[in-house]
Amino acid sequence: MQSLLLSRAVSCSRTAFVARNARFMATNPPGPNSPPSTSKSAKAETIPPSPASLSLDFSPVQESQEQRAEGQTGAKSSKDSLSSIERKRRNIGRASLAMLGLGIAAGAVFLGRDWEEGELKSLKIRVEDAPTTRMGRTQARFGSMFDFFSKPAWDELLPPPAPPSSPYYRPYTLILSLDDLLVSSTWDREKGWRTAKRPGVDYFLTYLSQFYEIVVFTSQHSYTALPILEKLDPYDYSILYKLFRESTRSVNGTPKKDLSFLNRDLSKVVMLDTDPDHVSLQPENAVVVPKWKGNPRDKGLVAMIPFLESIAIYRPEDVRPILSNYQGKDIPLEYGKKEAELKAQFVEEWKKSGRAKSGGGLTLSGLFMGSKQESPVPLTYLEQKRKEAQERHRGDMEYLEQNKAQFDKMKEEQLKLQNESMGGNLFSILSSVGAPPPQLPPQQQQQQPKPDAPKTLTAGDDGKAVAQA
């Protein structure tokens, strides 16, 4: 049995060897120029090829070496053999990109349309500053979508102004800064923060409150500035509104006072500040004055009163050209010169009119001195109105002093009602956050007691009548 299996194995190996030789001869025929091998030693020295070289298939070793030389991996390319799911996914992606491109193009066309009625007012853009190109309109509208955290907390910082028939009507608005203008604050380790009032600040506020709607606009937060303002104007007599940090616009991290949110006609707004950066959005409405550093003999604030009261007395249609004319100048000095020139011109015209001398009537000085007495120089229109305003202010201060105890009691009652309304409830405190500025109805304003009553009198009333109003 073993001999039979061995003979079969030998015969199979011979058959395979013959087949390999035949395949080799078929794939590698002798060349035409190759000499015939007649030598028996040459035939004996001929080495048969290896079995791998006799295969008709490509050599896997040689093929892998060629693929590595060409940078290929041997994997079959899937470029033209996508599955149905992959084709569907690719088509959906291309369609989405196409729709996105069409949406962006349509949005750009829509944002670049012409300005609509009332749109510039809602965007707080003046007509003369509005972009006129399609790209400019697109940028302006697109930028307005992302200014939620940079613009003031409310679209209108102040309630609507009182009507001209109201006794609380003031034709002009005076915006005042707090730091380094009305007060000055210092800090040291021994006493901490200390705040000093500027010399003449009480007279400045109370006197100009009969001409202007006074608004204190500070970059401080309300929890630090409000206690100072309560000390500065305890009866809310002079300062009508108070605006704090949340009412400013943030530009590159710097707070700016944007008057376009003020809800007032900017041709009737004067802003007094000490920082040019704070007023850079509307420099034509601003008067930048030097900072007060705590000098107890300072008179810079009181020196601004003649200039500001003359604007309110003459009532120009637009205050901005006047403010631009004094831009960069020492306003108290320059205005004093201008008023002195106008006074000299008035006196000269008065003398030329022949009214400087008396009519020649019988007077005591004419009997004993033998000369005619010149009549006194009359007051100019500005001086007359200034005198009337000073008399009204004197009457107001007398009234406040006489009723100080009553006002203190009213203030305590009002503070008590406020504390009771809050009630220590966290929900009520949180609900007040983000609410619009408080607005006082006209009916309630007219019911306000005496602190505002003297201010309701018109020009020409004397101080006594003011005190009894």
Side-chain angles (χ1 to χ4, degrees):
M1 187 66 178
Q2 294 180 351
S3 59
L4 180 61
L5 294 176
L6 182 61
S7 60
R8 289 182 179 180
V10 171
S11 61
C12 291
S13 62
R14 289 179 180 177
T15 304
F17 180 78
V18 172
R20 285 195 295 271
N21 287 337
R23 188 180 299 174
F24 175 77
M25 295 300 295
T27 56
N28 297 284
N33 298 328
S34 60
S37 59
T38 58
S39 174
K40 293 182 179 180
S41 59
K43 291 181 181 180
E45 294 177 356
T46 302
I47 301 174
S50 62
S53 63
L54 299 177
S55 176
L56 294 177
D57 298 331
F58 293 103
S59 175
V61 177
Q62 182 179 2
E63 184 179 1
S64 62
Q65 293 177 353
E66 293 177 356
Q67 290 174 352
R68 284 195 297 269
E70 296 177 359
Q72 300 178 358
T73 62
K76 188 176 181 181
S77 174
S78 61
K79 181 178 180 180
D80 298 327
S81 59
L82 297 177
S83 64
S84 60
I85 297 178
E86 291 175 342
R87 291 195 191 96
K88 185 181 296 184
R89 188 180 301 165
R90 176 178 291 183
N91 294 335
I92 293 175
R94 291 175 178 175
S96 301
L97 289 177
M99 294 177 63
L100 178 62
L102 291 176
I104 293 175
V109 173
F110 178 75
L111 293 177
R113 69 190 187 279
D114 292 334
W115 296 112
E116 300 176 355
E117 184 179 359
E119 187 178 6
L120 292 178
K121 183 178 180 181
S122 62
L123 294 177
K124 309 299 180 183
I125 301 177
R126 296 183 299 180
V127 177
E128 56 270 19
D129 296 335
T132 56
T133 62
R134 178 174 290 274
M135 180 60 69
R137 293 192 294 267
T138 301
Q139 292 177 350
R141 289 189 175 103
F142 186 77
S144 64
M145 300 178 183
F146 302 94
D147 62 350
F148 177 79
F149 295 101
S150 62
K151 67 179 183 179
W154 307 282
D155 293 334
E156 294 181 351
L157 299 179
L158 299 180
S165 59
S166 172
Y168 301 93
Y169 171 72
R170 299 291 182 272
Y172 297 93
T173 303
L174 180 61
I175 309 296
L176 299 175
S177 179
L178 181 62
D179 297 324
D180 300 327
L181 180 68
L182 304 181
V183 299
S184 179
S185 299
T186 58
W187 183 88
D188 55 29
R189 290 188 176 183
E190 182 180 357
K191 298 182 179 179
W193 282 105
R194 292 182 296 170
T195 302
K197 292 197 305 183
R198 190 170 187 174
V201 64
D202 294 331
Y203 177 76
F204 178 86
L205 294 174
T206 55
Y207 181 76
L208 290 180
S209 63
Q210 58 186 321
F211 297 109
Y212 290 91
E213 177 188 41
I214 294 182
V215 180
V216 173
F217 198 170
T218 176
S219 59
Q220 287 192 37
H221 293 282
S222 58
Y223 54 82
T224 59
L226 193 57
I228 299 175
L229 294 174
E230 290 177 351
K231 294 289 185 180
L232 200 61
D233 186 19
Y235 305 128
D236 294 332
Y237 174 80
S238 305
I239 303 173
L240 194 56
Y241 299 107
K242 308 173 183 68
L243 301 177
F244 306 101
R245 184 64 171 262
E246 59 269 16
S247 300
T248 61
R249 173 186 284 276
S250 178
V251 180
N252 297 325
T254 304
K256 309 281 187 180
K257 300 175 182 179
D258 193 351
L259 300 184
S260 61
F261 288 83
L262 203 62
N263 195 24
R264 293 293 183 269
D265 182 8
L266 295 186
S267 64
K268 304 291 190 298
V269 175
V270 180
M271 180 164 52
L272 211 61
D273 209 298
T274 59
D275 193 341
D277 290 338
H278 290 172
V279 300
S280 58
L281 297 180
Q282 288 88 16
E284 64 278 2
N285 287 93
V287 176
V288 180
V289 298
K291 295 182 179 181
W292 178 58
K293 297 299 184 180
N295 182 14
R297 298 182 179 180
D298 176 80
K299 297 181 179 179
L301 191 62
V302 177
M304 289 295 299
I305 292 179
F307 174 74
L308 296 173
E309 71 174 352
S310 65
I311 293 178
I313 290 175
Y314 285 113
R315 297 198 176 190
E317 292 294 330
D318 195 342
V319 301
R320 289 171 290 191
I322 300 175
L323 301 180
S324 300
N325 189 33
Y326 285 91
Q327 201 73 257
K329 299 179 181 179
D330 187 353
I331 292 182
L333 181 61
E334 295 297 327
Y335 177 76
K337 293 179 180 179
K338 187 68 175 179
E339 186 175 343
E341 292 176 2
L342 294 177
K343 176 68 175 180
Q345 182 180 356
F346 173 79
V347 172
E348 184 178 356
E349 293 178 356
W350 173 72
K351 289 181 179 179
K352 288 181 179 179
S353 64
R355 292 176 293 178
K357 297 182 179 181
S358 60
L362 185 63
T363 60
L364 185 63
S365 59
L367 290 175
F368 292 95
M369 300 182 65
S371 62
K372 294 183 179 181
Q373 181 183 9
E374 293 186 357
S375 59
V377 178
L379 299 176
T380 63
Y381 176 79
L382 178 61
E383 291 173 338
Q384 182 180 356
K385 293 299 181 181
R386 181 179 295 163
K387 182 179 179 181
E388 295 173 359
Q390 291 173 352
E391 292 177 355
R392 288 198 303 271
H393 176 264
R394 191 179 302 111
D396 291 349
M397 296 300 101
E398 291 177 357
Y399 184 86
L400 289 176
E401 186 64 27
Q402 294 173 1
N403 298 273
K404 186 177 183 300
Q406 181 182 357
F407 295 144
D408 291 338
K409 183 178 179 181
M410 294 169 56
K411 182 181 178 182
E412 293 178 359
E413 294 177 353
Q414 183 179 6
L415 183 60
K416 183 179 179 180
L417 290 175
Q418 290 178 356
N419 295 333
E420 291 178 354
S421 62
M422 298 297 291
N425 189 351
L426 180 61
F427 177 77
S428 61
I429 297 175
L430 295 178
S431 62
S432 62
V433 178
Q439 299 184 10
L440 197 61
Q443 296 83 0
Q444 187 176 353
Q445 285 185 355
Q446 294 179 3
Q447 294 175 1
Q448 291 293 311
K450 296 298 183 178
D452 287 335
K455 298 164 63 175
T456 64
L457 297 180
T458 58
D461 294 337
D462 55 6
K464 185 176 180 181
V466 169
Q468 296 177 355

